[in-house]
Amino acid sequence: MAVTGGSDLSSEMEVDAFRRLFPLRFHERHLLESIRPDGRSLGKARDTTIALGAVTSANGSALTKIGCTTMLAAVKLEVMTPTQESPDEGCIAVDFHMPPICSPAVRPGRPSEVAPVVAKQLSDVILSSGMINLKDLSLVSGKAAWMAYLDIYCLDADGSLFDAALLSAVAAFSHLQIPVVSLSDEGRIVLVPEGNGGGKFEKEPVNKEKRKLKLCTLPFSLTCALHKNYILADPTSEEESIMETQLTVVLDSSGLLVSLNKPGGSVFAHTSVIQDCVALARQRLKEVKLILNEAISDMDVD
């Protein structure tokens, strides 16, 4: 038994060494068997969890995990003066943070080059998908509206960062509750303490009661790694680092295409490849919607 155990340990060490020295060949051997090192089939995403209300000091928050990739999203609301061009609309500001703890690739004291790119992509998708009607953030036309600050912190970066970040953003806005506010005697917007009902103000509250923000649609995304004739859904950071390119498909909650993003790589995404990625994204959409609905139901029960 001791000899067998030693032999097994030696074999494991040889496999680990081969994986470190020749990562592409290691993964290609698995691809020939249509399986990946973590046991997933090529088109299967990693296990996903969503926990709403992770930050009690925020108006809406969520902690999401796709495999080991972990995101913490929080939304804080502040009253702002709307612009003259959009007097009946509020605003959304998105920031994405990658602290050094999330990945060995992020060095202390050096801002991540990836973070502003992901933040811009998130902002574009949230606005272009029509997820939020900015008029729903208006308080008093031309005088007051909500500014929604969305901050997303990457706690563990193990691939598919945009997918996990977008999911955490959608979950945080799904959890968001808009507080009650009223006009004070001086005409200023003032938060009404819970249970007060606006009694200390001469004017009725602008918001009659604490309410959820209505989301018009829920955008979701799936990133696929493309290598030769293979399509790998939801790649890990190791797979992303050795595969030729990635393609991110963003769909709304009805399964309609919102956007495609191919950040680079030598592989040209043919129409058939794009169609296959969209089909995988639609399968993934069904899974994620169920997970989000369960998280919302659990929150409502609590």
Side-chain angles (χ1 to χ4, degrees), residues 40 43 47 77 112-113 129 176 271:
R40 285 185 290 156
D47 291 340
L77 295 176
S112 168
E113 296 179 359
S129 67
L176 177 67
T271 302

Side-chain angles (χ1 to χ4, degrees), residues 21-33:
L21 293 173
F22 309 102
L24 183 57
R25 288 175 59 187
F26 174 82
H27 280 267
E28 285 181 336
R29 286 188 177 184
H30 285 80
L31 293 178
L32 290 174
E33 303 296 329

Side-chain angles (χ1 to χ4, degrees), residues 199-274:
K200 64 183 290 187
F201 300 105
E202 293 183 359
K203 299 183 180 181
E204 286 291 318
V206 178
N207 294 333
K208 295 291 184 181
E209 58 185 3
K210 202 172 184 179
R211 63 181 176 89
K212 278 197 168 187
L213 178 66
K214 180 183 178 182
L215 302 183
C216 303
T217 188
L218 304 175
F220 297 103
S221 67
L222 176 69
T223 297
C224 296
L226 310 179
H227 182 70
K228 296 182 178 178
N229 295 322
Y230 300 103
I231 300 175
L232 286 71
D234 179 28
T236 63
S237 58
E238 182 182 14
E239 290 171 334
E240 288 180 343
S241 68
I242 59 177
M243 298 301 168
E244 293 170 332
T245 191
Q246 288 89 44
L247 178 68
T248 299
V249 179
V250 182
L251 304 174
D252 65 15
S253 49
S254 300
L256 299 177
L257 184 64
V258 174
S259 67
L260 290 171
N261 182 43
K262 180 177 173 293
S266 59
V267 172
F268 177 76
H270 295 281
T271 302
S272 60
V273 173
I274 294 175

Side-chain angles (χ1 to χ4, degrees), residues 3 9 22 28 36 43 47 52-53 56 72 75 94 108 133-134 136 188 190 194 215 223 256 290:
V3 174
L9 179 60
F22 309 102
E28 285 181 336
R36 294 151 82 170
D47 291 340
L52 301 181
T56 56
L72 178 65
V75 182
V94 181
N133 184 352
L134 296 180
D136 290 339
R188 298 176 60 187
V190 182
E194 291 190 32
L215 302 183
T223 297
L256 299 177
L290 286 174

Side-chain angles (χ1 to χ4, degrees), residues 92-112:
I92 299 172
V94 181
D95 208 350
F96 183 72
H97 310 268
M98 293 188 69
I101 61 167
C102 76
S103 169
V106 181
R107 304 299 298 274
R110 297 181 182 178
S112 168

Side-chain angles (χ1 to χ4, degrees), residues 65-77:
K65 295 190 69 173
I66 299 179
C68 290
T69 300
T70 307
M71 299 285 171
L72 178 65
V75 182
K76 289 281 286 185
L77 295 176

